Amino acid sequence: IYASEAGTVIRAESGWNGGYGNVIEVDHGNGLVTLYAHNKELYVKKGDSVTRGQNIAWMGNTGRVYGATGIHIHFEVRVNGVKKNPLLYLQ
C-alpha cells in the first residue's frame, strides 16, 4: 500500500479498530485525511512524515472482512471529517 499524497501519519494501529483491522490514517493538511484499512503489516507509526508513493503498509484482511472480499485495501478520503468519493481526489 502506498501513500496517496504527502502528509503526517495521525493513526497507525494494529488490532480490531472498529472493524478496520490494522489501520493507518494520514493527514494531508487543509482538512484532507486518507485512511488505509485491513492491512497485514504497518510500515509507519504515528507522527511519521510520508511522501506520495511511499510504501506504508502490506495489504491484508484484518478486521471485519467477510467472504469473497478477502485480501484488499479499504481506502477512504475524508474532508473535514466527511467521507468523500475517492475517485474525485485521485489522479
Side-chain angles (χ1 to χ4, degrees), residues 44-74:
V44 294
K45 63 184 182 311
K46 184 176 179 179
D48 284 353
S49 292
V50 297
T51 58
R52 182 178 187 164
Q54 180 178 334
N55 189 349
I56 60 173
W58 188 267
M59 190 167 33
N61 61 351
T62 59
R64 181 177 285 166
V65 178
Y66 296 111
T69 58
I71 295 172
H72 68 282
I73 181 67
H74 176 111

Side-chain angles (χ1 to χ4, degrees), residues 59-91:
M59 190 167 33
N61 61 351
T62 59
R64 181 177 285 166
V65 178
Y66 296 111
T69 58
I71 295 172
H72 68 282
I73 181 67
H74 176 111
F75 177 69
E76 290 182 10
V77 172
R78 297 178 184 164
V79 178
N80 297 319
V82 178
K83 293 179 187 178
K84 300 290 184 175
N85 181 345
L87 292 177
L88 301 175
Y89 297 85
L90 298 176
Q91 296 178 354

Side-chain angles (χ1 to χ4, degrees), residues 3 5 7 19 24 27 29 35 42 48 54 63:
E5 190 56 74
I24 294 171
D27 184 344
L35 177 141
L42 306 180
D48 284 353
Q54 180 178 334

Side-chain angles (χ1 to χ4, degrees), residues 2-64:
Y2 302 98
S4 60
E5 190 56 74
T8 303
V9 177
I10 57 172
R11 182 178 180 196
E13 298 177 352
S14 297
W16 179 250
N17 293 306
Y20 283 124
N22 301 337
V23 64
I24 294 171
E25 287 185 67
V26 178
D27 184 344
H28 305 286
N30 296 319
L32 180 66
V33 173
T34 52
L35 177 141
Y36 312 79
H38 305 308
N39 304 294
K40 179 178 180 180
E41 297 175 16
L42 306 180
Y43 300 144
V44 294
K45 63 184 182 311
K46 184 176 179 179
D48 284 353
S49 292
V50 297
T51 58
R52 182 178 187 164
Q54 180 178 334
N55 189 349
I56 60 173
W58 188 267
M59 190 167 33
N61 61 351
T62 59
R64 181 177 285 166

